[in-house]
Amino acid sequence: MDSLITAAARALAVGDPLGALNRVALRDDAPALALRGIAMAQLGDLVRARALLRSAARAFGPHEAVARARCVVAEAEIALALRELAWPARRLVAARAVLQAHGDPVNAAHAGYLEIRRCLLLGRLGEAEGLLGGLRPALLPAALQAFHALALAGIAMRRLDIRAAHSALADAAQAAGAAGIAALAAEVGQAAQALHAPAAVLLEREPAGPQAQKLLSLDEAGTLLASGALVVDACRHAVRAGAVAVSLAGRPVLFALARALGEAWPGDVSREALVAQVFRARQADDSYRARLRVEIGRLRRLLRPLAEVHATPLGFVLAPRQARVAVLARPVEGAPGVLCGPVLALLSDGEAWASSALALALGASQRSVQRTLEALERDALAQPVGRGRARRWVARPAPGFTTTLLLPAVLPAG
């Protein structure tokens, strides 16, 4: 490897893409093409970067397996940045095996962290933890140690383990400072801000008092959920009390009933109000009253480990086994639907998402995601970019809000 290639590689390693391009911009040999592609990726021109990396992979000879594997890893990182989650992950796994077999543990570990980031986007926290367990960050450069800590923080934040998230982010900040890469330090700082930005709205009614609203940070929301109070979680469509959670994500009518009862607690809600709020009916006739009794019975069975639902002369009241009831609402209430929150949460990372990638990340049909995006567009919460197959979606979130509570994650069994 000549001196210009070596100098360009060192410039890229410290986050100086312009310095790298100054050395290899006019060269068309395979190593120069690869370095130019990585530099363009760091500058944000991802489409051009991918084309350069593919050209470099073709230009490397049949005996340069390590170089081609590195190009595959770089292309996988670009696909992740473009939110092309359907990119064939088996290519990344094969490239990682080649790098490990040929004595390049640093790039092999980098490939592993790309796999972990993809798992986090898809909500596969257990798979991400398993991959993290196979890596030894103490033997890696500071930049990869920061990636390791960020992955741990991402898992902890999705599981609302705030103490573990704080510890991991502190380790990430220390490693990013040691690496001396400004973009990495900024990424760590952005992740840390998510712990302190408003994440949800607490709706709680004191006895004989009006309903109060309070913005909660992710830290405060985690404290509330761990307090043992009965929480009707409108961010993830579940009812929780301590470590027990009952998911109602696939039962919108039952969740609407639970939220209405939770917002009225300790008072009751009339049958007429429940019919109007849940079934969108103008008048509570006998058929709607019968349907309400059926749905209340279903809700009563599901919530039995956490609370009772009692009938009153006026309607129904929620009777928790714990001392208090609180409703945790989304920071931005817009278009209805179970998918609206998770879609907004994924869009809030600032990247442009295809509807197919959103469907893959949420485990939903692409048509359902498209209908949700259209509803969010009507409410000015999302906007499309491009046309046809190139169309991508970006969010227009309220400034200062974090949406970690809306991200897909596995809830504990009730």
Side-chain angles (χ1 to χ4, degrees):
M1 185 178 296
D2 58 55
S3 59
L4 286 179
I5 294 294
T6 302
R10 288 175 177 171
L12 290 176
V14 297
D16 181 15
L18 294 178
L21 287 175
N22 284 336
R23 294 170 173 85
V24 297
L26 300 180
R27 294 178 53 168
D28 290 325
D29 54 298
L33 287 173
L35 293 175
R36 285 168 56 191
I38 296 172
M40 296 305 294
Q42 290 186 5
L43 290 173
D45 190 348
L46 300 179
V47 176
R48 177 61 177 159
R50 179 163 54 185
L52 286 167
L53 286 166
R54 288 177 176 174
S55 298
R58 290 191 297 267
F60 281 116
H63 300 295
E64 296 176 291
V66 173
R68 289 201 306 273
R70 290 172 180 170
C71 290
V72 170
V73 172
E75 186 182 345
E77 188 166 10
I78 290 173
L80 195 64
L82 290 172
R83 296 300 183 258
E84 295 179 355
L85 302 184
W87 188 85
R90 63 182 182 277
R91 292 182 58 197
L92 181 61
V93 175
R96 182 185 178 191
V98 169
L99 293 170
Q100 195 70 49
H102 286 78
D104 189 359
V106 173
N107 282 303
H110 183 58
Y113 288 121
L114 293 179
E115 292 181 63
I116 291 166
R117 288 172 59 189
R118 182 176 182 272
C119 289
L120 286 177
L121 285 176
L122 295 173
R124 300 173 182 172
L125 304 188
E127 188 175 342
E129 282 183 320
L131 290 170
L132 275 174
L135 297 171
R136 302 173 64 184
L139 304 178
L140 299 174
L144 291 183
Q145 292 180 20
F147 289 149
H148 188 95
L150 280 173
L152 288 174
I155 294 172
M157 290 170 69
R158 291 208 183 191
R159 289 183 168 163
L160 296 182
D161 189 349
I162 305 303
R163 181 177 300 178
H166 276 295
S167 176
L169 286 172
D171 294 340
Q174 183 178 359
I181 301 175
L184 182 57
E187 184 178 355
V188 174
Q190 185 177 6
Q193 288 176 3
L195 285 176
H196 305 290
V201 177
L202 173 64
L203 306 177
E204 193 171 27
R205 187 186 301 272
E206 297 294 335
Q211 186 183 72
Q213 297 188 11
K214 178 185 177 183
L215 287 173
L216 296 184
S217 67
L218 192 61
D219 198 342
E220 293 169 328
T223 301
L224 172 66
L225 293 172
S227 67
L230 182 70
V231 179
V232 182
D233 185 354
C235 296
R236 289 182 170 172
H237 286 246
V239 181
R240 306 162 175 260
V244 181
V246 176
S247 177
L248 300 176
R251 315 289 290 272
V253 171
L254 298 187
F255 180 78
L257 286 172
R259 178 167 180 173
L261 295 173
E263 290 184 0
W265 184 87
D268 57 357
V269 186
S270 68
R271 292 171 176 82
E272 291 75 13
L274 287 174
V275 167
Q277 185 172 343
V278 176
F279 303 135
R280 312 288 183 184
R282 296 182 179 180
Q283 184 176 0
D285 57 21
D286 290 342
S287 63
Y288 278 115
R289 287 175 177 269
R291 184 182 175 189
L292 179 63
R293 287 194 298 272
V294 171
E295 299 296 346
I296 286 289
R298 292 171 177 167
L299 181 65
R300 185 180 286 123
R301 287 193 296 272
L302 288 174
L303 296 187
R304 188 167 291 126
L306 306 175
E308 295 289 342
V309 180
H310 297 312
T312 67
L314 181 64
F316 296 94
V317 63
L318 190 64
R321 303 190 186 282
Q322 305 296 331
R324 57 187 285 225
V325 174
V327 176
L328 205 58
R330 301 173 183 174
V332 179
E333 296 277 23
V338 175
L339 283 179
C340 287
V343 167
L344 276 177
L346 291 171
L347 293 179
S348 68
D349 64 2
E351 302 294 341
W353 286 72
S355 59
S356 58
L358 290 168
L360 182 61
L362 297 173
S365 71
Q366 188 170 349
R367 185 60 192 134
S368 297
V369 171
Q370 288 170 344
R371 286 195 294 265
T372 300
L373 289 168
E374 291 167 0
L376 293 174
E377 183 184 11
R378 288 194 298 269
D379 286 354
L381 295 175
Q383 63 183 15
V385 178
R387 294 175 178 269
R389 294 177 64 87
R391 170 168 283 198
R392 298 292 185 270
W393 291 85
V394 295
R396 291 188 288 186
F401 286 105
T402 181
T403 52
T404 303
L405 287 174
L406 302 178
L407 290 168
V410 179
L411 295 174

